[in-house]
Every structure is written in structure tokens, then in C-alpha cells.
Amino acid sequence: MRIVTVVGNRPQFVKAAAVSRLLRERADELIVHTGQHYDDELSRVFFDELNVPAPDRELDAGGGTNTAQTARILGALEPVLAELDPSLVLVYGDTNSTLAGALAASQAGIPTGHVEAGMRSFDRSMPEELNRVLTDHASELLLCSTATAMRNLEHEGIRGEYHLVGDVMADVSLAFRDIAEERSPILDQLGLGPGSYLVATAHRAGNVDRPERLEALVALLGALPGPVVLPLHPRTRERLTAAGLMDRLDGIRVVPPLGYLDFLKLARHARAVLTDSGGVQKEAYLLGVPCVTLRDSTEWVETVEAGWNTLVDLDPAAALAALELRPPEDRPELYGGGHAAERVCEVLGAYTQRL
Ligand code: UDP
């Protein structure tokens, strides 16, 4: 059985870290890297630190608008899928690489497996939401992180086969938590003590592409009680620089995007995390760190329901109030307890045997 896994950006490298090595014990897996993220900070460090098998093909199809990028990846994938001739294409999450992978596979008559199927923020203005919905419709095998995601698929009448497998990112977070603790020097490097600082990340189009939202983001970060560490995504840096707003981050500890181990350790010991990232909301929960989400919706609704995540959009007063909340005693297991990749591999094995 040959499976082609299509990955292209940071969170997908983390997800592949959970699945690819396990999958290779039972299948002929090949990784295609679309080049959506190609720099060392957002790509290579994850392959190195998390032991993701090196890509078998690199498409170099990054850059440009969502539409142009999706089209380029789609065009580049067609001959690669024809050449590699897999039984199934595996895609992760909600990026342009996800949608292009699912669409190219469908058009070639190859079944698609979608990991993190059924996640919904119900905000169609997010490019990620569009990618999620369309990818689910194009997929045969829908591998869900949560029961909510399973219900979303049912409500939408999606035709594929659904499986609740848990969350593969949780596998990685749980597996690397103690390794990060041992290996990462980040707290010493930044001169920070556990529990004494906040960590913030932001890169969603809705927060950084519109000048008024970007300015509101900067104002919110400036209103936070310090120290605040901001591992700055290149997209956000570019937008801030173009808008002449970098100077307004004077009071913030701006650092480059961190490798996985450094980020995990930094987040684990933070007083709270403020983020517009999906993956980081989930990781904060798994680490037992309160999360303040810089959006007005989330697909990781269970973290909010459990009382560990507060949606504040870009409202500084709401963010400050959220930081004062005491997290509940309880932190139920929401994401599969570190066994999602095993379940993904079982489901893939059973499915491809039936082909
Ligand atoms: N991450 C990282 N370094 C950073 C910021 C985030 O390693 O400086 C990791 C984080 O631990 C998580 C993933 O990147 O596993 C989340 O990716 P991102 O926020 O880019 O995407 P999203 O989850 O929002 O799609």
C-alpha cells in the first residue's frame, strides 16, 4: 500500500511527526512538501527536531495569494501523483496545501484521508474555514480529532467515512513535553523564570492583513502586563514592517519563530498564552496553561467549554479580564491522550485493504 502525504506548513510538519514514522512501519509512505513554508525557521527545524522523514518530493510552490498558491500547488501535484501512483493521499488540517492535495487526489481518482476533518469555526471569512469545508467534501476518509467534529460532518451531510481518532498534534505535544523540558535552554536564554511572563503568537490573515486589525493587535499587546514574549511569524513581521508598526512593539520581547522544543517549553511555563493559532490553543490546554484567544470564534470549542480558553478577539480590556480568571481544577482529556496517530494508522490500514 502506497500513501502520499502532502504537507506544506508548520503545523502540518508537527502533525506528520506523529503519523509518518508509525505509518512507515506498515505502509510505503512518501512525503510531498508543497513549499508553502520553506524557510528554516518554519520548516527545516521541525523535520530535524521532531524526526519527520525527509520529503521525497519538494514542489517549491509557496508564495502569492491563497488562490494563486492553491492553484500552483494543485498544478504541481498533478504530475507528482501520476508518477507516484498512491492508493491514498493523506492531508492534514486546513491550509492551501490541504485543499490542493485533496482536490488533486480527487481529480486523479485517488481517495483522500483528511486528518483533523470536521473542525469548524463557522466563520467563512477565514481562508482556513473554506479549506476545511471543501477538503472534507473532497475526502473519503474523515479522521476527526473530537466528537464535535464528527457531529459537524454529520450535520453537513458529508459523504465519506468518519472516524474519531483523537488529535495527532496532542500526540506530539505529550511525547515531546519532557524532552523539551530537558533540552530547551529557552528560559535561560531569555532570562525568564517559570510563571513570570506571557507568550503571544499571531499570524491569522484576519488579524494581520487588515491595517486597522493589525493596529488593534499591537495596541492589545502593548496593554498586557509584561514581560510578553512574541515569537514573531514572518507574515506578521512583514505586515508590521510595511505598516511602520514595529517600533510600537518596544515593550515586547520580540523573538524569531521558535523551534518546536523551545516553543513548547516557553508555553509550558508561561502564566498564560495569547494566540490566534489553532494549534497553540490546543497545546496550551494540554500543557495546563490558560489561553486567551485573539479571535471571536474557534474550532477548538472544547477548550473554551472546559474553562481554559477565553475568546477576546482584539479587545484589550477583555484580554486583561481573561488573564485574571483562575483556570478550573479540572482539565478533562479531550484529544485522545496521545494515541491518535496509532488510530489513524489502523484506520488507514483497514481502509486501504478494502480498496
Ligand atoms: N510553534 C512553534 N514555534 C513558534 C510558534 C508556534 O513551534 O514560534 C508551533 C506550535 O507549538 C504548534 C504549531 O507551531 O505546534 C502551530 O502552528 P501555527 O500557529 O503556525 O498554525 P495553526 O495551528 O494556527 O494552523
Side-chain angles (χ1 to χ4, degrees), residues 10-11 14 46 169 203-204 231 257-260 263 277-280 283:
R10 176 166 71 183
V14 177
F46 293 87
M169 238 175 169
H203 68 279
R204 292 261 91 76
L258 299 173
Y260 188 78
F263 187 78
S277 155
V280 174
E283 285 168 359

Side-chain angles (χ1 to χ4, degrees), residues 162 187 199 248 338:
Y162 319 158
L187 294 191
V199 176
R248 299 249 315 263

Side-chain angles (χ1 to χ4, degrees), residues 9-12 14-15 37 41-42 45-46 49 94-95 116 128 132 169 201 203-204 231-233 255-264 267 275-283 295 299-300:
N9 81 347
R10 176 166 71 183
Q12 290 169 336
V14 177
K15 292 164 199 175
H37 283 166
E41 285 167 342
L42 293 188
V45 64
F46 293 87
E49 280 189 349
D94 54 21
T95 72
E116 264 188 30
E128 294 87 354
R132 291 178 194 123
M169 238 175 169
T201 80
H203 68 279
R204 292 261 91 76
L232 195 54
H233 194 285
V255 297
L258 299 173
Y260 188 78
L261 298 183
D262 281 343
F263 187 78
L264 200 59
T275 191
D276 62 12
S277 155
V280 174
Q281 290 174 58
K282 203 166 36 182
E283 285 168 359
R295 291 168 43 187
E299 51 291 356
W300 302 101

Side-chain angles (χ1 to χ4, degrees), residues 146-340:
T146 64
T148 311
M150 297 279 284
R151 280 195 295 277
N152 291 338
L153 294 175
E154 276 164 33
H155 285 155
E156 287 173 31
I158 294 206
R159 74 192 160 102
E161 198 179 298
Y162 319 158
H163 296 269
L164 179 59
V165 291
D167 189 79
V168 297
M169 238 175 169
D171 293 13
V172 186
S173 174
L174 296 171
F176 282 88
R177 197 164 49 178
D178 293 339
I179 297 172
E181 200 57 36
E182 248 175 60
R183 292 196 199 152
S184 165
I186 191 73
L187 294 191
D188 292 342
Q189 276 173 2
L190 295 175
L192 294 168
S196 71
Y197 59 92
L198 300 171
V199 176
T201 80
H203 68 279
R204 292 261 91 76
N207 281 343
V208 306
D209 284 2
R210 282 171 31 212
E212 72 283 5
R213 296 277 299 172
L214 188 62
E215 199 153 353
L217 172 68
V218 169
L220 184 147
L221 293 173
L224 298 174
V228 180
V229 185
L230 178 68
L232 195 54
H233 194 285
R235 171 196 194 120
T236 312
R237 180 180 285 277
E238 210 181 294
R239 302 291 190 272
L240 287 166
T241 306
L245 288 169
M246 277 306 287
D247 290 351
R248 299 249 315 263
L249 292 178
D250 260 1
I252 310 281
R253 303 280 299 269
V254 178
V255 297
L258 299 173
Y260 188 78
L261 298 183
D262 281 343
F263 187 78
L264 200 59
K265 182 157 176 183
L266 190 68
R268 181 180 189 174
H269 295 290
R271 186 156 79 75
V273 169
L274 297 102
T275 191
D276 62 12
S277 155
V280 174
Q281 290 174 58
K282 203 166 36 182
E283 285 168 359
Y285 181 83
L286 292 162
L287 293 169
V289 175
C291 184
V292 177
T293 293
L294 307 175
R295 291 168 43 187
D296 62 5
S297 65
T298 181
E299 51 291 356
W300 302 101
V301 286
E302 297 81 4
T303 58
V304 177
E305 286 158 9
W308 284 84
N309 186 7
T310 312
L311 306 181
V312 302
D313 200 10
L314 295 178
D315 178 345
L320 292 176
L323 288 173
E324 293 307 317
L325 296 174
R326 279 244 315 262
E329 303 280 305
D330 255 27
R331 197 159 44 86
E333 186 167 284
L334 298 178
Y335 297 119
H339 301 285

